[in-house]
Amino acid sequence: MSGEESPRSRDPRPQPPSAPEPGDCCGGGCTLCIFDLHEQALQRYQQQLAAWLLRHPQAHEPD
């Protein structure tokens, strides 16, 4: 091992947010429900992934 980092190791692929479990919602009609927060996090992830794929055009989507 040469000890050199690859560009992808310095710029790791974004990971999707964990989905909330059905029981994570309290059912109280919160202004920002856990599912709303997850949707926002998912949108941020998709934007981050699109930008990452532009920086790493050789990367392939996982099978």
Side-chain angles (χ1 to χ4, degrees), residues 8-60:
R8 286 173 65 177
S9 68
R10 288 187 303 264
D11 184 18
R13 183 185 191 111
Q15 296 300 306
S18 298
E21 297 293 324
D24 291 344
C25 175
C26 70
C30 302
T31 302
L32 281 177
C33 176
I34 189 80
F35 294 111
D36 296 328
L37 295 173
H38 177 258
E39 182 62 31
Q40 291 173 3
L42 192 56
Q43 289 174 2
R44 281 191 305 275
Y45 159 72
Q46 291 168 340
Q47 292 170 347
Q48 292 167 349
L49 180 59
W52 186 87
L53 288 170
L54 286 174
R55 293 191 305 272
H56 301 277
Q58 74 284 4
H60 298 283

